[in-house]
Structures are given as C-alpha cells and as structure tokens.
C-alpha cells in the first residue's frame, strides 16, 4: 500500500536534500516533514529512512 498525500491522495515519495528528508506528493507537490506523516509511514518507507544514517527529523 502506497503512502498517500493527505490533501489529494497522490502518491508520496521520499525526497532527500542535504541532511533533510521529506515526503513529497507527486501530484500536488506538497511536502511533508517526516513527523507529519509518521502515522501513515509504511514498512517500505521506514526501511528506506532507516538507511539514511543521520537524518534530522525536524
Ligand atoms: Zn498531494
């Protein structure tokens, strides 16, 4: 099950810029901080995030 945007049901994908990781909606371009979507994080995404050694969850 893919993670969905809270605004438009678009698919969220992980984007990384420098030390920060965000979830970004493909459809509307809305960005979410990880803690904002923590309740809907799926296993696949959690594993992906776990591979980034020094993430700052701001
Ligand atoms: Zn969206």
């Amino acid at each position: 099950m893919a993670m969905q945007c809270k605004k438009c049901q678009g698919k969220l994908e992980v984007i990384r810029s420098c030390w920060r990781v965000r979830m970004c909606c493909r459809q509307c371009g809305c960005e979410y901080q990880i803690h904002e979507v923590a309740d809907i994080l799926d296993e696949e995404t959690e594993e992906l995030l776990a591979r980034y050694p020094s993430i700052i969850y701001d």
Side-chain angles (χ1 to χ4, degrees), residues 1 4 7 13 17 19 21-23 27-28 30 34-35 37 39 43 45 48 51 53 56 58:
M1 201 173 76
Q4 288 187 329
K7 288 179 183 168
E13 59 183 15
S17 57
W19 65 93
V21 175
R22 295 270 196 277
M23 301 299 296
Q27 219 154 293
C28 70
C30 186
I34 298 302
H35 71 83
V37 293
D39 55 330
E43 264 181 49
T45 306
L48 198 67
R51 279 185 225 141
I56 296 176
D58 60 344

Side-chain angles (χ1 to χ4, degrees), residues 4-34:
Q4 288 187 329
C5 178
K6 293 180 179 183
K7 288 179 183 168
C8 76
Q9 315 295 305
K11 192 182 180 222
L12 292 181
E13 59 183 15
V14 176
I15 53 166
R16 191 165 67 133
S17 57
C18 300
W19 65 93
R20 285 183 182 167
V21 175
R22 295 270 196 277
M23 301 299 296
C24 181
C25 174
R26 278 185 177 177
Q27 219 154 293
C28 70
C30 186
E31 287 187 16
Y32 296 94
Q33 295 174 13
I34 298 302

